[in-house]
């Protein structure tokens, strides 16, 4: 990963706002995002007190989906999390929405009530603050792990501990508002910017180090994530030897690759190294000529490779679970399809 050093937050934000990644986001996503969020709030008002599974799916799809099939919020509004919410009684779901958005309580009080007394599995701080944000974007920020981490990288917030959700959200929301005001940003771009910083910027003493490839990519992957406890976020039931559920993230892809690498249509009997920078692994591929050294990038979705498309580093394969980018310029090992074939033969 090529990195550049930046000595202040002001210069860092300037560099991000001048980057190819941000300009692509602003040109293609920002205004549709604003429109989708307004529409989602209109749907919430329309269905107030009568939320059904169908109505909630409509709200979640409107706010989450863009450009047809892509999603903004990762696991937060993904099917496994939605199913956890839908498992609750409709009466409780409607009471939860009413308390959070229409009770007239201070946000901190409403948040504590929803995440403690009226707790619904799958309805986390991320969903609650997303809904508050939809109700008043200029007043509330979206508090998820990625936006909190972005503020932490900037040194604007410390660790938020415990389950005093209201107090923690007040602290988070103030830090996010200060960041927005300091750089004259729109409310609707804060979650993208903070998630970008969390994903591609590291703080080091008195300066920052930034992933140069991410700045220069038109298709940088930015998902506003709020990962839950392990027992809350799982995929579909499927016996995969080392896993009982389909993966929901890149780490699951790595685990499945290690388990099935000798049985894939392209065999990789030797793993030389797995690391945390691009490309993710060096392996040896079995071929008629013998063993050939190859570089692999692991992605949950093949479209995640777009963030590396302009890198000069050599990469031979993308290994993924969800092959959603059929135009990927390098070969893709589609584990979902390949493992299904392997397990059918077992």
């Amino acid at each position: 990963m090529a990195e550049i050093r930046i000595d202040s937050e002001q210069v860092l934000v300037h560099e991000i706002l001048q980057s190819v990644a941000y300009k692509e986001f602003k040109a293609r996503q920002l205004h549709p995002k604003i429109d989708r969020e307004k529409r989602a709030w209109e749907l919430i008002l329309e269905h107030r007190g009568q939320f059904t599974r169908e109505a909630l799916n409509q709200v979640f799809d409107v706010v989450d989906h863009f450009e047809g099939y892509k999603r903004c919020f990762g696991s937060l509004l993904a099917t496994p999390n939605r199913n956890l919410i839908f498992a609750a009684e409709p009466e409780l779901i409607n009471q939860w929405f009413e308390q959070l958005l229409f009770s007239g309580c201070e946000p901190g009080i409403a948040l504590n009530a929803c995440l403690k007394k009226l707790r619904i599995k799958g309805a986390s701080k991320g969903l609650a603050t997303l809904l508050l944000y939809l109700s008043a974007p200029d007043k509330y920020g979206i508090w998820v792990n990625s936006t909190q981490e972005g503020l932490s990288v900037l040194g604007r917030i410390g660790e938020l501990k415990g389950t005093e959700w209201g107090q923690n959200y007040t602290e988070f929301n103030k830090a996010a508002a200060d960041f927005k005001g300091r750089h004259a940003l729109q409310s609707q771009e804060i979650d993208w910017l903070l998630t970008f910083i969390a994903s591609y910027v590291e703080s080091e003493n008195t300066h920052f180090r930034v992933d140069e490839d991410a700045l220069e990519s038109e298709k940088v992957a930015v998902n506003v994530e709020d990962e839950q406890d392990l027992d809350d976020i799982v995929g579909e039931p499927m016996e995969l030897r080392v896993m009982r559920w389909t993966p929901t993230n890149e780490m699951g892809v790595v685990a499945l690759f290690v388990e099935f690498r000798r049985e894939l249509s392209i065999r990789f009997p030797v793993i030389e190294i797995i690391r945390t920078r691009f490309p993710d692994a060096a392996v040896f591929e079995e071929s008629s000529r013998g063993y050939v050294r190859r570089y692999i990038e692991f992605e949950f979705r093949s479209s995640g490779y777009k963030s590396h498309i302009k890198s000069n580093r050599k990469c031979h394969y993308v290994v993924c679970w969800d092959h959603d980018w059929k135009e990927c310029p390098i070969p893709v090992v589609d584990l979902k399809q390949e493992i299904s074939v392997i397990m059918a033969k077992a």
Side-chain angles (χ1 to χ4, degrees), residues 69-99:
Y69 65 91
K70 298 178 184 177
R71 296 194 295 112
C72 293
F73 290 98
S75 61
L76 176 61
L77 295 179
T79 298
N81 223 36
R82 295 190 194 192
N83 288 341
L84 290 170
I85 296 170
F86 300 149
E89 292 294 329
E91 181 180 352
L92 177 58
I93 292 173
N94 281 281
Q95 187 180 359
W96 192 92
F97 271 78
E98 195 69 22
Q99 174 66 52

Side-chain angles (χ1 to χ4, degrees), residues 51-65:
F51 287 107
T52 62
R53 182 182 186 126
E54 181 180 359
L56 287 174
N57 269 327
Q58 190 177 6
V59 172
F60 295 159
D61 287 346
V62 166
V63 76
D64 196 29
H65 291 181

Side-chain angles (χ1 to χ4, degrees), residues 221-269:
V222 175
N223 288 110
V224 185
E225 285 279 9
D226 189 32
E227 297 206 9
Q228 307 298 304
D229 295 335
L230 289 177
D231 63 341
D232 280 351
I233 298 298
V234 296
E236 299 298 322
M238 187 175 179
E239 290 296 336
L240 297 167
R241 296 183 190 165
V242 295
M243 297 169 60
R244 295 179 55 203
W245 310 87
T246 58
T248 59
N249 54 48
E250 186 177 310
M251 293 301 98
V253 172
V254 175
L256 290 177
F257 174 78
V258 172
E259 175 71 15
F260 289 95
R261 71 190 191 281
R262 297 175 183 271
E263 302 166 71
L264 300 170
S265 57
I266 303 171
R267 299 174 187 271
F268 302 98

